[in-house]
């Protein structure tokens, strides 16, 4: 009977390991997809980066609401079932996030001219003579008309995304503290690092699939199936393009819901590996926690707080950084993160766990591995700061109309002698690429007199501003869209990605050893509460503020703001790439330097 019981418990424990791996995969799948959709959501709701950072931080806010309750009472209740309940709540959050798409009307991107798609049309589009005025922004707005427009456009629908993301945070709360404590309670001490490494390695596949799904859906138009795609004159490389962001949340919500199923059938407790007795969970309180907590645990929490602060801010805006600094499309940036960075992280996590098990390293050895990894990844990040591409050449914003380099945050510089007679609007962003390699904010601001073709194939001719270039040009035509970056930028981007991947691997090598140091610094009877408190502190101070202040810093580098459908400032269309790089990377370097200091 004892042999049968041991065998049964062994298989139940294996089922728990498999279930934990799947739930780590699914929650990471949903979280990574949210990160990959940040740019699409920002564009769809026409909101600044600081607000999208606030929305992204709602996940941590949801965590904060229930983490104390889950950590304190979790060990006394049925831990697997609490994890199952959390998964159901996470799935509901994903579905709620996708809901605004079905309430909003079709997405209307800003454009400065009427684009005809009828090949038999004889309509003649004259950009320079369009009915615009430089005084558009000064007209007295009709308040009632704006309110009616905003109601029809669903301008406040981002609140659903905020609440859905918060629900995801609430549902994710029990997984880490209760799941890890359950695993550590019923496994041999020497096996815990390997089990954790395996779970985290399977879990890291979630972000890979999440970013790849985000990359795929970023190429599919947001209103696919409900609009005629032939009428869409922008491509997925355009800063106004919005992908089918909502569809991914339905997919991730379904996967998370499926991951909850096994936890409803797992027992409340198991025998300790190698022992016959069941563990008795001990009553404890916060006073006991403060007396027994070790200094090592306090330093580890502080270290985690510092590194998470920088990491969250960096990963939230990394796709946008690659898009603005190196001229990559949003879908390609997301795809490369998923296919290169995340496998390196997975390999690093399993490598760190293998090193601990292979060399039988104790707490001191694990701490040394963690410190070495921190220093190595800091060096990789520091080198990346010096890799840069020049700003995209946009007349009146990053270069003058004569081709001289300058950066201007004043929209009035979009006007020049060559387009002064066109009465162009300076509000709209409808870029065209001239054959001289210069981008102009709109056909009108390029001084284009006539056009041929339809839809995406439209070509503008006799653009007077092109002739203002210092080098004479024979072709004074322009096509829709921004011009590609210079060829040397692609080589710099390859170097950046190589350093980024190497840094990801080195940093991940210290993940499992660092977590083992954290676990071994906690009294056994305080494990659930301590892990919960650690999650509470890190999520509160390391998860909520970074997207907001990183987003606010990034907003200050915007050169050209878009215009909302109902008027007013929308999402940013073009950034000063150099200022963007410094304001995104410098805070991350500062906090990572503190992380290395605390680790040592």
């Amino acid at each position: 009977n004892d042999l049968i019981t041991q065998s049964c418990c062994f298989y139940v424990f294996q089922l728990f390991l498999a279930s934990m791996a799947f739930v780590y995969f699914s929650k990471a799948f949903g979280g990574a997809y949210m990160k990959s959709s940040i740019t699409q959501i920002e564009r769809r709701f026409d909101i600044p980066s600081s607000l999208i950072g606030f929305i992204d931080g709602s996940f941590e806010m949801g965590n904060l609401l229930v983490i104390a309750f889950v950590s304190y009472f979790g060990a006394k209740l049925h831990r697997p079932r609490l994890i199952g309940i959390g998964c159901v709540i996470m799935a509901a959050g994903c579905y709620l996030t996708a809901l605004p798409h079905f309430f909003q009307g079709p997405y209307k991107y800003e454009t400065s001219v009427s684009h005809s798609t009828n090949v038999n049309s004889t309509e003649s589009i004259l950009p320079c003579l369009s009915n615009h005025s430089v005084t558009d922004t000064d007209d007295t707005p009709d308040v009632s008309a704006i309110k009616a427009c905003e109601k029809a456009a669903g301008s406040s629908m981002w609140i659903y995304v905020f609440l859905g993301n918060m629900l995801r945070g609430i549902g994710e709360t029990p997984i880490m503290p209760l799941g890890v404590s359950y695993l550590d309670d019923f496994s041999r001490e020497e096996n815990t690092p390997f089990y954790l490494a395996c779970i985290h390695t399977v879990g890291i596949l979630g972000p890979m699939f999440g970013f790849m799904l985000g990359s795929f859906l970023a190429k599919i138009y947001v209103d696919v199936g409900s609009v005629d795609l032939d009428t869409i004159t922008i491509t997925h490389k355009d800063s106004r393009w919005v992908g089918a962001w909502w569809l991914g949340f339905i997919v991730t919500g379904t996967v998370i819901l499926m991951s909850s199923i096994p936890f409803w059938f797992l027992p409340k407790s198991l025998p300790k590996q190698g022992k016959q007795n069941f563990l008795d969970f001990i009553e404890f309180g916060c006073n006991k926690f403060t007396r027994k907590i070790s200094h090592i645990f306090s330093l580890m929490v502080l270290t985690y707080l510092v590194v998470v602060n920088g990491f969250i801010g960096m990963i939230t805006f990394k796709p946008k950084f690659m898009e603005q600094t190196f001229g990559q499309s949003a879908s390609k940036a997301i795809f490369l993160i998923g296919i290169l960075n995340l496998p390196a992280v997975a390999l690093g996590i399993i490598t760190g766990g293998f090193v601990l098990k292979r060399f039988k390293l104790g707490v001191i050895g694990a701490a040394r591995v963690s410190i070495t990894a921190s220093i190595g990844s800091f060096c990789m990040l520091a080198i990346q700061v010096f890799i840069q591409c020049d700003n995209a050449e946009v007349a009146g914003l990053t270069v003058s109309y004569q081709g001289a380099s300058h950066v201007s945050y004043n929209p009035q510089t979009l006007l020049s002698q060559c387009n002064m007679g066109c009465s162009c609007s300076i509000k709209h962003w409808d870029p065209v690429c001239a054959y001289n390699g210069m981008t102009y904010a709109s056909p009108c601001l390029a001084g284009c007199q006539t056009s041929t073709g339809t839809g995406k194939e439209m070509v503008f001719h006799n653009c007077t501003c092109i002739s203002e270039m210092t080098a004479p040009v024979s072709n004074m035509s322009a096509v829709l869209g921004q011009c590609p970056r210079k060829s040397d930028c692609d080589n710099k981007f390859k170097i950046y990605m190589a350093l980024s991947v190497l840094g990801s691997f080195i940093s991940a090598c210290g993940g499992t050893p660092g977590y083992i140091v954290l676990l071994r610094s906690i009294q056994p009877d305080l494990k659930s509460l301590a892990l919960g408190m650690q999650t509470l502190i890190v999520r509160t101070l390391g998860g909520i503020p970074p997207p907001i202040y990183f987003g606010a810093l990034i907003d200050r580098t915007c050169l050209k703001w878009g215009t909302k459908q109902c008027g007013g400032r929308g999402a940013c269309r073009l950034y000063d790439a150099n200022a963007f790089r410094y304001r995104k990377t410098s805070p991350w370097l500062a906090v990572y330097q503190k992380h290395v200091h605390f680790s040592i």
Side-chain angles (χ1 to χ4, degrees):
N1 289 336
D2 289 343
L3 184 61
I4 294 173
T5 302
Q6 290 180 27
S7 177
C8 180
C9 290
F10 171 78
Y11 287 114
V12 172
F13 186 75
Q14 298 305 308
L15 174 61
F16 172 75
L17 285 178
S19 302
M20 277 295 291
F22 186 28
V23 80
Y24 262 65
F25 168 86
S26 62
K27 78 180 183 69
F29 182 42
Y33 182 75
M34 178 66 190
K35 293 292 185 185
S36 71
S37 301
I38 286 293
T39 301
Q40 309 301 322
I41 294 172
E42 179 181 341
R43 293 173 181 174
R44 181 63 181 96
F45 297 101
D46 259 331
I47 52 180
S49 295
S50 54
L51 181 53
I52 198 67
F54 178 69
I55 293 172
D56 185 62
S58 64
F59 179 86
E60 317 298 342
M61 297 176 195
N63 234 272
L64 177 62
L65 290 175
V66 296
I67 185 64
F69 171 83
V70 169
S71 301
Y72 184 75
F73 293 104
K76 303 177 184 180
L77 302 175
H78 198 299
R79 285 181 282 185
R81 287 184 186 171
L82 280 178
I83 294 174
I85 293 171
C87 291
V88 173
I89 295 174
M90 276 199 295
C94 290
Y95 296 141
L96 181 61
T97 301
L99 206 57
H101 172 76
F102 302 97
F103 293 157
Q104 287 182 296
Y107 171 58
K108 295 181 181 179
Y109 54 89
E110 59 177 316
T111 181
S112 60
V113 296
S114 173
H115 298 290
S116 173
T117 58
N118 185 358
V119 294
N120 297 320
S121 173
T122 57
E123 176 186 6
S124 178
I125 295 177
L126 308 174
C128 187
L129 301 179
S130 296
N131 186 24
H132 296 304
S133 170
V134 293
T135 61
D136 283 346
T137 55
D138 299 326
D139 293 339
T140 303
D142 186 338
V143 177
S144 60
I146 290 177
K147 287 183 177 179
C149 177
E150 288 179 347
K151 184 177 181 181
S155 59
S156 299
M157 288 291 182
W158 59 265
I159 294 174
Y160 285 91
V161 181
F162 176 87
L163 294 175
N165 202 37
M166 181 178 286
L167 267 184
R168 278 201 321 109
I170 292 172
E172 193 260 0
T173 306
I175 296 174
M176 196 282 289
L178 301 188
V180 172
S181 63
Y182 190 90
L183 170 67
D184 198 44
D185 283 345
F186 306 124
S187 66
R188 288 192 181 96
E189 186 173 313
E190 63 271 19
N191 289 339
T192 301
F194 184 70
Y195 289 151
L196 282 175
C198 290
I199 290 172
H200 281 288
T201 302
V202 174
I204 205 66
L205 295 175
M208 287 175 57
F209 281 89
F211 276 96
M212 291 174 70
L213 178 65
S215 174
F216 173 73
L217 293 178
K219 293 182 180 179
I220 300 176
Y221 191 65
V222 59
D223 294 316
V224 61
S226 60
V227 298
D228 182 5
L229 296 182
D230 290 334
T231 63
I232 307 302
T233 59
I234 56 176
T235 69
H236 69 276
K237 297 181 179 179
D238 196 291
S239 61
R240 295 165 294 171
W241 175 273
V242 176
W245 62 275
W246 55 274
L247 188 56
F249 286 104
I250 296 176
V251 174
T252 55
T254 303
V255 172
I256 292 171
L257 189 61
M258 291 171 58
S259 70
S260 71
I261 297 173
F263 290 97
W264 300 103
F265 304 99
L266 288 168
K268 184 177 181 180
S269 61
L270 288 170
K272 181 79 172 178
Q273 286 185 339
K275 296 181 181 180
Q276 296 302 313
N277 63 300
F278 281 82
L279 293 177
D280 295 319
F281 295 109
I282 302 170
E283 299 282 342
F284 49 80
C286 290
N287 291 333
K288 191 173 181 181
F289 173 75
T290 55
R291 290 198 305 268
K292 286 192 173 183
I293 194 89
S294 69
H295 294 294
I296 296 176
F297 176 77
S298 302
L299 287 175
M300 287 302 299
V301 170
L302 190 58
T303 300
Y304 270 96
L305 173 61
V306 171
V307 72
V308 168
N309 209 280
F311 176 77
I312 293 295
M314 185 185 74
I315 196 64
T316 301
F317 298 105
K318 188 177 179 72
K320 179 181 285 191
F321 173 75
M322 294 164 65
E323 182 181 1
Q324 293 292 329
T325 304
F326 298 101
Q328 306 298 314
S329 67
S331 61
K332 184 178 179 181
I334 295 167
F335 177 78
L336 289 176
I337 293 172
I339 205 67
L340 294 178
N341 286 87
L342 296 178
V345 171
L347 184 60
I349 290 173
I350 197 69
T351 300
F354 174 78
V355 167
L356 292 185
K357 186 172 177 65
R358 173 66 178 82
F359 298 101
K360 298 180 179 178
L361 298 178
V363 176
I364 300 299
R368 288 172 178 167
V369 174
S370 181
I371 292 170
T372 303
S374 298
I375 294 173
S377 57
F378 175 79
C379 293
M380 292 297 102
L381 185 65
I383 296 173
Q384 293 174 36
V385 177
F386 301 100
I387 301 173
Q388 61 175 332
C389 291
D390 294 332
N391 274 313
E393 293 185 349
V394 181
L397 293 175
T398 61
V399 293
S400 68
Y401 276 83
Q402 291 73 37
S405 178
H406 84 293
V407 175
S408 173
Y409 290 84
N410 182 4
Q412 293 298 328
T413 58
L414 288 168
L415 299 175
S416 179
Q417 288 296 325
C418 63
N419 58 34
M420 194 64 72
C422 295
S423 298
C424 302
S425 169
I426 60 175
K427 296 191 301 181
H428 296 102
W429 176 254
D430 192 15
V432 292
C433 176
Y435 283 90
N436 60 4
M438 178 84 76
T439 298
Y440 296 87
S442 71
C444 182
L445 289 169
C448 301
Q449 306 295 320
T450 60
S451 67
T452 58
T454 59
K456 296 183 180 73
E457 306 303 320
M458 187 176 293
V459 179
F460 300 90
H461 304 284
N462 301 323
C463 303
T464 56
C465 290
I466 298 177
S467 63
E468 283 206 358
M469 291 289 292
T470 52
V473 291
S474 56
N475 192 330
M476 295 172 60
S477 301
V479 296
L480 288 170
Q482 281 185 251
C483 295
R485 294 292 182 91
K486 296 177 180 178
S487 57
D488 65 331
C489 192
D490 287 335
N491 295 327
K492 292 178 180 178
F493 179 65
K494 291 175 183 176
I495 297 173
Y496 166 80
M497 284 305 302
L499 291 171
S500 177
V501 170
L502 183 58
S504 298
F505 170 76
I506 295 173
S507 179
C509 284
T512 301
Y515 204 76
I516 291 302
V517 174
L518 179 69
L519 280 177
R520 296 295 173 257
S521 66
I522 305 170
Q523 296 288 342
D525 57 323
L526 299 173
K527 201 168 295 176
S528 291
L529 181 59
L531 289 176
M533 293 299 294
Q534 181 251 356
T535 303
L536 173 65
I537 295 169
V538 171
R539 288 285 172 85
T540 304
L541 301 179
I544 298 174
I548 299 173
Y549 70 71
F550 269 85
L553 286 172
I554 290 170
D555 279 341
R556 298 185 60 153
T557 69
C558 184
L559 295 175
K560 180 68 177 76
W561 289 97
T563 303
K564 289 185 178 181
Q565 181 182 341
C566 304
R569 195 175 79 174
C572 185
R573 305 303 185 193
L574 181 72
Y575 294 88
D576 177 359
N578 292 327
F580 190 118
R581 177 169 54 88
Y582 282 119
R583 294 190 181 185
K584 175 182 177 294
T585 311
S586 297
W588 169 231
L589 276 174
V591 296
Y592 213 92
Q593 187 178 23
K594 292 292 184 184
H595 164 58
V596 173
H597 172 75
F598 285 129
S599 297
I600 294 174

